[in-house]
Amino acid sequence: MIISRKRDFQELLENIKNYKSFFLIGCSECASLCGTGSEKEVKELAETLKSEGKEVTGGIVAKTGCQVLGTKKELKAYKDEVNSAECLLVMSCGAGTQTAVELFEDKPVYATNDSLFLGNMTRFQVFDERCSMCGKCILDKTGGICPITTCPKGLLNGPCGGMKDGHCEVGPDIPCAWVRIYERMKKLDKLEELTGSVFDARDWSTGQSPRAFSAREKKGK
Amino acid sequence: MSFKEALESGKFVVTAEVGPPKGTDISEMLHHIELLKGKVEAINFTDNQSAVMRMNSLAGCAIAVEHGVEPILQMTCRDRNRIGLQSDLLGAYALGVKSVLCMTGDHVSAGDHKGAKPVYDVESVQLLRIVDSLNNGRDMAGNELKGGTDFFQGGVVTPEANPLEPQLIKFEKKIKAGARFFQTQAVYDIEKFREFMKYARNFPVKVLAGLVVLKSAGMANFLNNYVPGIKVPQELIAELKAAGKGKGLDKGIDICARHIRQIRDEGICDGVHIMAIGIEDKVPEIMERAGL
């Protein structure tokens, strides 16, 4: 899921200081799991804004904030509340915020969260990053552990000289991705796959933003 | 005789390391170049070592060439993508640089510009392959060059890495990618290094043992605790302690000289690379005490 974190409230207040009335948009997917955009957070933010002397015209928890057409449909029922707000506050990831930007050309839209990364939830609301969506998966060759993401240098051919007792030079709480890969491959009796050949330089164009993709089959000719 | 020729001739080769200045005042670097001239086979110029921004290695190398000293261009993958790396390699060759040491480079989080975007478009093994390609007259995309390079390229290995096996796999990959010489991370346990060399001798590469002069027992403990891939044995720490206050550096120089003598006399590897970090002035004395 996309991990998001609430921005500092004072920073948010500063950003929206010129507006008085707001409509809030949360998201029932990732942001809800992250505790940044569920029903609860939408209500809390509404209360906090009111206590700061602001007006809240209404709010919604979009089913999937990054789904533009679905969100548009859901927001139709809130036309008046949206219209009477000077400004929209989106409580999801940056994708959800930009859905609102696309749907409301004439309204200022502000993000209440920072979008962090694509993460795995390892414990309740504790996340770590294992995939950076680089566009060309190499997991089949690295024992299912991604060195592009879990090695701070994204190394493809083994640990660097900064590895110390299985940990990374960047931080002692980061396990060395290549030691993990080595140990897993050894356990699976597949070490020869690691030693066999040099991993050539990557084609990073697969990760070049902005990316677009259509999964629809082309029909007819 | 060039660094490459010296190694290939079987001569016991000594290299040293100089860090370019943080700024444009090159007087100290020039002093070190002159001091080491005629004493060492080549001088490594570090590439923004520890991710601390300084004058680039290439400028240091060009200045060394100008002063009649052979440089080894240290090149990390942290600050430049494949276009920048290749471009600098071509420039270095045109300026008279003949040897290059390919490394991945310390992460920006270690340095003085922690907010920098680390590049790592390619890494040490792939950089070695790039040098090999330039040596064959083509860039890494396969485009023909108007004049290729003839670099003598090397890499770094950490014989004291823990765990060691993944490091050895990488060592072999570096050789596959074209490495012809290695300068090691600092070694202090010569018996353990001898074991490593027994393995390394299976490959057609030259190895220079990295040596960092110990200045005190405190420094040795610091290296053990904080610097990856370095293990100073307790006997050496005891030796430094026994030397007494103010005598640490002198003892450290003794130890370094003793290690050089042992490595040379017993033919453990092909030479030594002295990293004097901050006490470059002492390199001639170290060599003298080692009988070089």
Side-chain angles (χ1 to χ4, degrees):
Chain A
M1 79 184 85
I2 307 301
I3 313 308
S4 56
R5 179 177 58 199
K6 284 180 196 170
R7 297 171 90 159
D8 175 62
F9 186 66
Q10 290 310 316
E11 184 190 332
L12 178 66
L13 270 188
E14 177 63 25
N15 289 345
I16 61 173
K17 66 181 176 196
N18 295 328
Y19 305 106
K20 284 193 196 75
S21 53
F22 303 88
F23 183 81
L24 313 183
I25 304 172
C27 173
S28 79
E29 304 273 6
C30 316
S32 283
L33 287 164
C34 292
T36 55
S38 73
E39 192 76 50
K40 177 173 170 269
E41 287 86 36
V42 171
K43 274 186 185 148
E44 278 170 5
L45 182 61
E47 290 311 312
T48 315
L49 287 170
K50 281 175 195 162
S51 71
E52 293 287 334
K54 307 282 191 186
E55 188 198 331
V56 176
T57 64
I60 178 183
V61 175
K63 189 179 170 298
T64 310
C66 53
Q67 221 266 68
V68 179
L69 292 181
T71 306
K72 183 179 184 180
K73 212 179 268 176
E74 287 175 83
L75 280 165
K76 267 189 185 147
Y78 295 83
K79 202 174 163 205
D80 293 341
E81 289 95 326
V82 170
N83 280 342
S84 58
E86 285 179 315
C87 175
L88 303 181
L89 291 180
V90 181
M91 306 171 68
S92 65
C93 66
T97 304
Q98 292 179 76
T99 293
V101 168
E102 180 174 334
L103 295 179
F104 303 100
E105 283 179 349
D106 308 328
K107 283 230 186 279
V109 177
Y110 285 84
T112 66
N113 299 329
D114 285 320
S115 304
L116 302 182
F117 51 88
L118 169 62
N120 289 53
M121 195 194 285
T122 54
R123 282 180 292 146
F124 180 63
Q125 290 184 354
V126 175
F127 310 97
D128 61 32
E129 186 182 22
R130 298 178 188 176
C131 169
S132 42
M133 301 195 284
C134 66
K136 183 87 182 85
C137 195
I138 61 162
L139 287 173
D140 293 348
K141 296 190 169 113
T142 55
I145 294 165
C146 179
I148 291 171
T149 309
T150 61
C151 164
K153 301 179 186 178
L155 300 184
L156 296 173
N157 282 295
C160 70
M163 185 273 291
K164 186 172 170 63
D165 305 327
H167 295 283
C168 176
E169 73 177 35
V170 171
D173 17 322
I174 304 173
C176 172
W178 274 100
V179 171
R180 288 179 63 218
I181 292 168
Y182 167 79
E183 280 167 358
R184 183 165 164 81
M185 293 297 252
K186 194 173 167 184
K187 208 172 270 176
L188 297 175
D189 202 19
K190 284 163 74 156
L191 266 186
E192 77 284 355
E193 287 181 26
L194 282 189
T195 53
S197 58
V198 171
F199 217 118
D200 237 329
R202 272 281 309 243
D203 174 0
W204 295 114
S205 68
T206 59
Q208 182 61 54
S209 298
R211 290 178 273 183
F213 170 69
S214 170
R216 292 164 84 161
E217 278 179 46
K218 285 182 186 136
K219 286 177 193 154
K221 280 199 175 175
Chain B
M1 210 189 308
S2 70
F3 168 61
K4 177 185 174 218
E5 287 162 355
L7 271 177
E8 284 170 352
S9 75
K11 183 181 167 185
F12 188 76
V13 168
V14 180
T15 57
E17 176 179 290
V18 168
K22 188 162 182 88
T24 57
D25 178 357
I26 60 168
S27 53
E28 195 185 355
M29 182 172 75
L30 276 178
H31 168 66
H32 291 145
I33 291 171
E34 289 298 339
L35 193 74
L36 296 167
K37 187 176 179 175
K39 294 196 173 64
V40 299
E41 220 64 56
I43 300 176
N44 283 53
F45 287 87
T46 55
D47 179 7
N48 297 300
Q49 197 174 15
S50 305
V52 172
M53 191 287 294
R54 308 166 79 97
M55 182 183 286
N56 66 0
S57 170
L58 179 48
C61 289
I63 292 165
V65 169
E66 220 173 85
H67 286 77
V69 175
E70 181 168 351
I72 297 172
L73 176 73
Q74 292 199 178
M75 198 163 228
T76 73
C77 302
R78 178 191 54 238
D79 309 321
R80 286 156 292 186
N81 69 8
R82 61 191 77 186
I83 298 172
L85 290 166
Q86 292 181 99
S87 166
D88 280 2
L89 282 164
L90 295 181
Y93 193 75
L95 290 167
V97 176
K98 300 277 190 255
S99 300
V100 52
L101 184 74
C102 301
M103 46 227 289
T104 295
D106 297 322
H107 195 266
V108 295
S109 60
D112 65 350
H113 288 66
K114 295 187 197 300
K117 185 173 186 178
V119 180
Y120 303 118
D121 174 22
V122 296
E123 30 104 308
S124 56
V125 180
Q126 295 157 353
L127 181 57
L128 281 160
R129 195 170 253 190
I130 288 173
V131 174
D132 194 52
S133 174
L134 299 180
N135 280 350
N136 286 309
R138 289 187 181 274
D139 68 18
M140 72 180 287
N143 302 304
E144 206 169 315
L145 301 171
K146 193 172 172 186
T149 61
D150 184 19
F151 281 119
F152 184 53
Q153 71 271 38
V156 176
V157 65
T158 307
E160 291 267 22
N162 175 42
L164 182 60
E165 262 181 288
Q167 175 73 193
L168 298 184
I169 292 172
K170 196 164 184 182
F171 173 72
E172 292 183 33
K173 283 191 182 191
K174 286 181 179 179
I175 296 166
K176 272 191 193 132
R180 291 144 84 185
F181 73 92
F182 282 85
Q183 290 173 313
T184 77
Q185 171 60 294
V187 292
Y188 291 98
D189 186 332
I190 305 300
E191 289 317 309
K192 270 179 88 179
F193 179 60
R194 195 196 302 273
E195 287 306 307
F196 167 77
M197 281 310 302
K198 272 186 197 154
Y199 151 83
R201 285 292 188 219
N202 293 315
F203 305 95
V205 289
K206 302 290 181 183
V207 177
L208 283 79
L211 299 173
V212 171
V213 185
L214 296 170
K215 296 168 199 166
S216 64
M219 175 186 172
N221 286 323
F222 177 85
L223 293 175
N224 280 347
N225 291 333
Y226 298 107
V227 182
I230 296 190
K231 281 208 181 66
V232 185
Q234 288 306 318
E235 307 92 82
L236 291 187
I237 298 178
E239 209 180 324
L240 286 161
K241 262 190 198 145
K245 265 214 162 130
K247 299 271 176 58
L249 176 58
D250 191 63
K251 180 48 79 181
I253 291 173
D254 256 350
I255 292 170
C256 187
R258 187 171 82 213
H259 286 168
I260 295 174
R261 222 178 302 125
Q262 189 185 357
I263 290 167
R264 183 199 52 196
D265 293 351
E266 299 175 19
I268 295 173
C269 67
D270 307 294
V272 290
H273 175 54
I274 305 170
M275 296 174 270
I277 316 167
I279 49 161
E280 288 81 0
D281 285 342
K282 300 283 183 193
V283 173
E285 191 183 336
I286 297 165
M287 293 179 68
E288 204 174 298
R289 289 201 211 175
L292 287 163

